C-alpha cells in the first residue's frame, strides 16, 4: 500500500472580523473552497474522516464541534474529531489526517480549523488567551501570552543582544507582505518609525509586535499518494511531519530563549524528509509575537542559536531573500484565528508551491520545498511539516 500522502485541495475564508458569520458559515465557506480547489473534482462521498482544530474561544461550541461541522458541510456520519492543542490545533489536525492515511486506515481525509474570536469583549478574550499556559502558575502571576512572550523577548535581548529594531523589522516585513494578500486581516504597511513609536502593551512589545484577534476557517483535503492523480494534476506531497511538546510554564524550561517543542518537531520533520534547513525554499512560521518569528529562525536551523536577529537584519527572510518567511503576512498581519492557523499555513504553502499565489508580487518564484511551523501557547506544543511539489 502507498504510504505517501498528498494534499489535493485547499480552502480558506478571509481572515478578519465577521460579526455576521458564525463558525458554521466560516467552516462551510472554507470547505467548499477546498472542494473547488481540486482541479479534477472530488466527490464528497470519498471523504472518510475529518479532524478539525479549534480552541473554541469563548466556549461557544466546546462539545461535539467537529460532528457539527461535518453535518453542516453535508458530509454527515463520517468520524469527526475536534483537535485541541492551543494555537497549534490546526497543524495537529493536519498531522492526525496524515497519520490516518499513512496507517492504511483511510484513503481521503479532511483536516480543518475554525475559530471565532472577535465577538467576545476584550476582557473575555484576555481570559481565553491565557488558558493554554500552565494556568495554576501563570494565571496566578497575572500573565497571559503577550506578557509571557515579552519576558522571552527580554531574555533573548539580554543573552543574545537582540534589539527592538530587529523585532520591528519582522513586523514591517510581515505587514508589507499582508498588504498584498487579499485574505489577510491587517492589510496595511507599517514603517519602522511607526513601529518604534507605538505605545507599549507589555514591555518591550508595542501594538505592532502582537498578532490581532481573528475570525476564520481553513480546510485542506488529503489522500493516499496513488489516488492523487484522480483528483488533481498538482498534488503537493507531505515530505516530513514532526511534532513535540515542552514544559508549559516558562520558568520550568532550561532555556527561556528556546522553544524545544519546535526544535524537536523540526528535527523529526527534517529526518523524515531526508532534508536540511538549506533545502527549504520558504517557510510559514508562527509569529504570534515578533520574538516568536525570530526564535523560529533558530529552532528551524535557518540561523545559529542567538543569531535570529542577524538573519532578519540582513534581509534574508524578505521575499526575494535566501529564505523568505511569512510571505502571507504571518500571524502578525494575515491574522491568527487560533485553531485555524496551522491549516491556514498549509493553505499558503500549497498555493505557493503550485505557483498559484495569485498576486505575482507575493509569489516565491521556483519554490519546490516549503516548511510550516505552528506553535501552541507559549511553546507547550509544536508541529513542523515539510511539503514539496
Ligand atoms: C493588541 C490587541 C489588544 C488590540 O485589540 P483592540 O484594541 O481591541 O483592537 P481593535 O480590534 O479595537 O482594533 C483597533 C485598531 O487597531 C488595529 N489593530 C488591532 N490589533 C492590531 C495588531 N495586533 N496590530 C496592528 N494593528 C492592530 C485594528 O486594525 C484597528 O485599526 P482601525 O481603528 O484603523 O480600524 C489585540 O489585537 C490582542 O489582544 N492581540 C493579541 C492576541 C493574542 O495574544 N493571541 C494569542 C497569541 S498566542
Amino acid at each position: 500500500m502507498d504510504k505517501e500522502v498528498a494534499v489535493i485541495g485547499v480552502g480558506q475564508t478571509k481572515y478578519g472580523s465577521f460579526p455576521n458569520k458564525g463558525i458554521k458559515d466560516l467552516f462551510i465557506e472554507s470547505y467548499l473552497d477546498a472542494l473547488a480547489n481540486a482541479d479534477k473534482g472530488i466527490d464528497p462521498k470519498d471523504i472518510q474522516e475529518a479532524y478539525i482544530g479549534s480552541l473554541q474561544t469563548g466556549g461557544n461550541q466546546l462539545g461535539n464541534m467537529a460532528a457539527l461541522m461535518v453535518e453542516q458541510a453535508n458530509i454527515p456520519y463520517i468520524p469527526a474529531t475536534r483537535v485541541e492543542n492551543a494555537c497549534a490545533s490546526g497543524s495537529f489536525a493536519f498531522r492526525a489526517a496524515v497519520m490516518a492515511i499513512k496507517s492504511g486506515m483511510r484513503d481521503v481525509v479532511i483536516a480543518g480549523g475554525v475559530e471565532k474570536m472577535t465577538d467576545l469583549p476584550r476582557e473575555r478574550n484576555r481570559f481565553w488567551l491565557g488558558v493554554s499556559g500552565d494556568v495554576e502558575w501563570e494565571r496566578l502571576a497575572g500573565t497571559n501570552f503577550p506578557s509571557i512572550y515579552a519576558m522571552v523577548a527580554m531574555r533573548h535581548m539580554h543573552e543574545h543582544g537582540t534589539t527592538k529594531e530587529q523585532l520591528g523589522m519582522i513586523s514591517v516585513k510581515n505587514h508589507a507582505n499582508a498588504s498584498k494578500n487579499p485574505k489577510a486581516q491587517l492589510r496595511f504597511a507599517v514603517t519602522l518609525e511607526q513601529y518604534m513609536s507605538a505605545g507599549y502593551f507589555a514591555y518591550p512589545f508595542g501594538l505592532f509586535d502582537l498578532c490581532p484577534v481573528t475570525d476564520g476557517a481553513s480546510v485542506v483535503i488529503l489522500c493516499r499518494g496513488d489516488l492523487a492523480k484522480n483528483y488533481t494534476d498538482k498534488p503537493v506531497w507531505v515530505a516530513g511531519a514532526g511534532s513535540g511538546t515542552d514544559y508549559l510554564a516558562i520558568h520550568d524550561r532550561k532555556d527561556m530563549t528556546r522553544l524545544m517543542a519546535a526544535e524537536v518537531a523540526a528535527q523529526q520533520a527534517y529526518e523524515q524528509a531526508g532534508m536540511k534547513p538549506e533545502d527549504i525554499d520558504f517557510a510559514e512560521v508562527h509569529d504570534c509575537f515578533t520574538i516568536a518569528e525570530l526564535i523560529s529562525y533558530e529552532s528551524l536551523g535557518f540561523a545559529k542559536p542567538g543569531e535570529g536577529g542577524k538573519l532578519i537584519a540582513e534581509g534574508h527572510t524578505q521575499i526575494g531573500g535566501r529564505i523568505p518567511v511569512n510571505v502571507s503576512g504571518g500571524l502578525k498581519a494575515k491574522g491568527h484565528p487560533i485553531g485555524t492557523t496551522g491549516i491556514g499555513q498549509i493553505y499558503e504553502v500549497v498555493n505557493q508551491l503550485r505557483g498559484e499565489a495569485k498576486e505575482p508580487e507575493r509569489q516565491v518564484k521556483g519554490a519546490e520545498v516549503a516548511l510550516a511551523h505552528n506553535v501552541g501557547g507559549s511553546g507547550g506544543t509544536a508541529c513542523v511539516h515539510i511539503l514539496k511539489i
Side-chain angles (χ1 to χ4, degrees):
M1 184 176 300
D2 191 345
K3 293 280 175 64
E4 296 300 309
V5 178
V7 180
I8 49 177
V10 294
Q12 194 192 279
T13 63
K14 280 187 179 174
Y15 283 1
S17 171
F18 306 112
N20 298 323
K21 289 182 184 176
I23 55 170
K24 295 174 185 172
D25 308 292
L26 293 168
F27 186 80
I28 292 169
E29 193 180 319
S30 59
Y31 167 71
L32 294 177
D33 197 27
L35 273 189
N37 182 254
D39 45 288
K40 290 184 173 172
I42 297 180
D43 183 345
K45 289 196 191 75
D46 291 354
I47 299 168
Q48 297 165 321
E49 182 140 6
Y51 295 96
I52 303 170
S54 188
L55 182 68
Q56 277 305 298
T57 306
N60 170 48
Q61 183 68 50
L62 276 176
N64 270 339
M65 185 280 287
L68 181 65
M69 293 303 105
V70 295
E71 164 221 297
Q72 290 293 310
N74 204 20
I75 40 173
Y77 312 122
I78 63 169
T81 307
R82 170 180 164 222
V83 180
E84 191 285 298
N85 265 351
C87 313
S89 301
S91 60
F92 275 90
F94 185 78
R95 175 179 173 78
V98 169
M99 290 197 299
I101 294 169
K102 274 193 181 289
S103 75
M105 260 185 87
R106 299 293 177 213
D107 297 332
V108 182
V109 179
I110 62 170
V114 61
E115 203 76 49
K116 184 90 181 81
M117 302 175 76
T118 66
D119 49 9
L120 285 184
R122 220 184 190 197
E123 52 282 2
R124 289 304 295 160
N125 248 319
R126 212 176 289 153
F127 169 82
W128 278 91
L129 294 174
V131 296
S132 308
D134 180 342
V135 290
E136 283 181 6
W137 281 102
E138 294 181 330
R139 276 247 186 269
L140 209 62
T143 57
N144 62 7
F145 286 130
S147 49
I148 286 176
Y149 269 102
M151 285 189 262
V152 169
M154 290 301 286
R155 191 74 209 171
H156 208 283
M157 290 169 154
H158 174 73
E159 284 189 23
H160 303 299
T162 299
T163 64
K164 171 97 176 144
E165 282 81 359
Q166 289 168 344
L167 297 180
M169 288 172 195
I170 288 174
S171 183
V172 170
K173 167 178 72 67
N174 292 353
H175 270 276
N177 292 349
S179 70
K180 298 166 199 147
N181 180 357
K183 292 211 166 175
Q185 180 173 6
L186 301 178
R187 298 194 59 203
F188 54 86
V190 169
T191 64
L192 196 56
E193 291 68 34
Q194 283 169 312
Y195 169 87
M196 292 300 281
S197 58
Y200 289 111
F201 264 81
Y203 191 82
F205 292 160
L207 178 65
F208 299 115
D209 288 285
L210 278 56
C211 65
V213 165
T214 310
D215 304 332
S218 319
V219 169
V220 301
I221 310 174
L222 304 92
C223 79
R224 213 176 72 203
D226 56 335
L227 302 176
K229 59 182 177 314
N230 301 335
Y231 300 110
T232 179
D233 287 329
K234 291 182 175 179
V236 171
W237 303 94
V238 181
S243 74
T245 59
D246 197 355
Y247 294 91
L248 262 66
I250 50 170
H251 64 252
D252 285 328
R253 297 183 190 162
K254 287 195 185 71
D255 183 346
M256 262 174 67
T257 67
R258 292 172 68 177
L259 294 184
M260 292 311 295
E263 290 189 26
V264 166
Q267 278 164 16
Q268 286 174 18
Y270 284 132
E271 207 175 294
Q272 269 182 32
M275 291 184 191
K276 297 191 285 302
E278 305 81 78
D279 298 318
I280 307 298
D281 294 320
F282 70 96
E284 284 290 300
V285 309
H286 197 91
D287 59 327
C288 46
F289 305 99
T290 46
I291 188 67
E293 175 166 325
L294 191 141
I295 291 176
S296 81
Y297 300 162
E298 301 169 15
S299 313
L300 298 169
F302 301 154
K304 291 194 185 118
E307 294 190 3
K310 203 169 149 221
L311 192 77
I312 179 75
E314 290 175 355
H316 298 302
T317 55
Q318 306 280 351
I319 293 175
R322 175 158 63 78
I323 170 80
V325 172
N326 283 336
V327 293
S328 68
L331 285 60
K332 172 65 203 82
K334 178 187 174 189
H336 182 24
I338 306 278
T340 317
T341 291
I343 300 290
Q345 291 176 327
I346 303 288
Y347 170 86
E348 176 69 19
V349 157
V350 167
N351 278 326
Q352 287 279 351
L353 285 173
R354 287 170 167 170
E356 291 175 355
K358 295 193 182 74
E359 309 77 34
E361 65 278 28
R362 228 165 51 75
Q363 177 69 52
V364 183
K365 294 191 180 65
E368 292 177 358
V369 180
L371 181 150
H373 155 280
N374 187 204
V375 173
S378 60
T381 47
C383 274
V384 170
H385 288 104
I386 297 175
L387 288 93
K388 63 181 182 186
I389 193 83

